Amino acid sequence: MNIPVRAMVHQLDERSAALAAQGVEIVVGDLSDFNSVSAALKGISSAYFVYPIQVPGLIEATAYFIQAAREQNVGHIVNMSQRTARRESPSHGAQNHWLADGC
């Protein structure tokens, strides 16, 4: 099965080159930049959202991603969360994942 895949990366490097060598379309962008998220989602029917727990900005990135997906008519989104994502977690990162999961 030949399903086209697009990956948004922060920078072009050996990791993005390895993806490109497998036929992945590479776009450079940042989840904290609404315009680059919107451009990356243009023409996409399904999207996979993953955000690192150690990096601040999850809630904003989630909101940008959801709004851009709505505007670009993305039909399906898979959100990669974490096992400890819950309200009573002692980790602020895990609490942010819990909040973002509710979006």
Side-chain angles (χ1 to χ4, degrees):
M1 192 179 303
N2 189 12
I3 300 172
V5 174
R6 179 181 300 160
M8 186 170 79
V9 301
H10 280 123
Q11 61 191 14
L12 298 176
D13 59 19
E14 66 280 349
R15 298 169 299 173
S16 60
L19 289 172
Q22 296 178 49
V24 175
E25 177 188 354
I26 303 297
V27 295
V28 177
D30 192 308
L31 289 171
S32 65
D33 174 18
F34 179 80
N35 291 326
S36 68
V37 174
S38 183
L41 292 175
K42 186 173 185 172
I44 297 295
S45 61
S46 300
Y48 182 84
F49 178 77
V50 61
Y51 196 89
I53 188 160
Q54 304 94 340
V55 179
L58 170 66
I59 295 170
E60 295 85 355
T62 302
Y64 288 159
F65 192 87
I66 291 169
Q67 184 60 37
R70 284 181 179 146
E71 290 180 11
Q72 294 298 337
N73 297 312
V74 175
H76 304 280
I77 296 173
V78 174
N79 176 33
M80 177 60 149
S81 187
Q82 63 168 322
R83 184 175 50 107
T84 60
R86 60 186 187 278
R87 171 185 244 152
E88 54 282 332
S89 176
S91 161
H92 291 292
Q95 288 175 354
N96 286 346
H97 268 273
W98 168 75
L99 285 169
D101 288 350
C103 293

